[in-house]
Amino acid sequence: MAKGDRKRALRGRAGRMTGGRGSGKGTAGHVRLWGRHPVEAALKNPARQHRKLWATRDAIEALDGELPQDFPVEYADPHDLARLVAKDAPHQGLVLECEPLEDQFLDAIATGDRTRPVVVLDQVTDPHNVGAILRSAAAFGAACIVTQDRHAPPESGVVAKSASGALETVPWIRVVNLARALDELADAGYWRIGLAGEAEATLGESMPTGALAIVLGAEGEGMRHNIAAHCDALARLPISSAIESLNVSNAAAIALYAAATRAGD
């Protein structure tokens, strides 16, 4: 791309990132996604409203499916695209700006297919962890993840990249009061198991055959006392004493696998 073409390709605010790198944040009120899997999933999601796609020509040609006619695309080289995403983020030639997903509500999930577990996250704030948990939730057929709005990361390119497309397929329910959400799940017939390293029973020993909500706390601090009190049981993963604990996203993946393979399902 010639120098003049490059300036035109990234004209306006999106092309004027301080220090040649961006924060990865979209313009006001919008979300910016990057990487092949997150962008392809967003483009295929009928619930997602798109604003603009910046891309290399090779990345456009490699997309799975065709873009709609008159889709807003600006071509750029990889160096320019790097200015639109978080520092050192692997954009793979694709950067998409779009509207945030519509809010979803717990009652719609809780009264749906209750053979699929619900994942409840208490103060898990790392976007990489939340994204990885979304990915595991998609892999093992979870109904949704639930977070408290004030203690969870916003929808973002970092979450979407870590989720590898699952942000578009797994409902992410944000609630004001997590304890109240756990009460709603109990009223809907869910058995609430909180993962806690100090618990006596293992997850396998505590697993029910019916509707299940798996509750995980932040690394280090674990679940808050009030959230643990709203669980029907606390359970631990049977890990070796050689290691103190697992990353919360790893623990979520193991718990979801256990739920998917439990007897009676």
Side-chain angles (χ1 to χ4, degrees), residues 55-133:
T56 65
R57 294 185 184 277
D58 287 344
I60 289 288
E61 291 176 3
L63 280 174
D64 181 15
E66 297 291 330
L67 290 173
Q69 190 174 6
D70 299 325
F71 194 91
V73 178
E74 286 199 14
Y75 292 99
D77 65 25
H79 175 78
D80 286 330
L81 293 176
R83 299 163 63 195
L84 300 176
V85 302
K87 185 177 181 181
D88 298 325
H91 56 72
Q92 297 175 296
L94 295 164
V95 181
L96 176 69
E97 192 159 275
C98 48
E99 301 288 340
L101 291 168
E102 292 286 336
D103 290 339
Q104 300 197 56
F105 300 96
L106 185 59
D107 56 355
I109 301 295
T111 56
D113 182 1
R114 293 190 297 173
T115 64
R116 303 171 66 190
V118 168
V119 180
V120 181
L121 304 179
D122 180 30
Q123 295 191 314
V124 178
T125 57
D126 187 323
H128 296 92
N129 279 334
V130 173
I133 291 168

Side-chain angles (χ1 to χ4, degrees), residues 124-197:
V124 178
T125 57
D126 187 323
H128 296 92
N129 279 334
V130 173
I133 291 168
L134 280 165
R135 187 174 186 175
S136 294
F140 294 112
C144 65
I145 70 166
V146 181
T147 63
Q148 188 170 0
D149 200 31
R150 291 184 296 110
H151 300 292
E155 183 182 341
S156 69
V158 175
V159 172
K161 183 63 177 171
S162 299
S164 192
L167 178 62
E168 308 299 325
T169 60
V170 177
W172 181 356
I173 297 169
R174 297 174 178 273
V175 299
V176 174
N177 188 305
L178 203 59
R180 189 178 305 134
L182 287 168
D183 286 341
E184 290 179 22
L185 287 168
D187 291 343
Y190 283 79
W191 185 257
R192 304 158 299 176
I193 295 183
L195 289 190

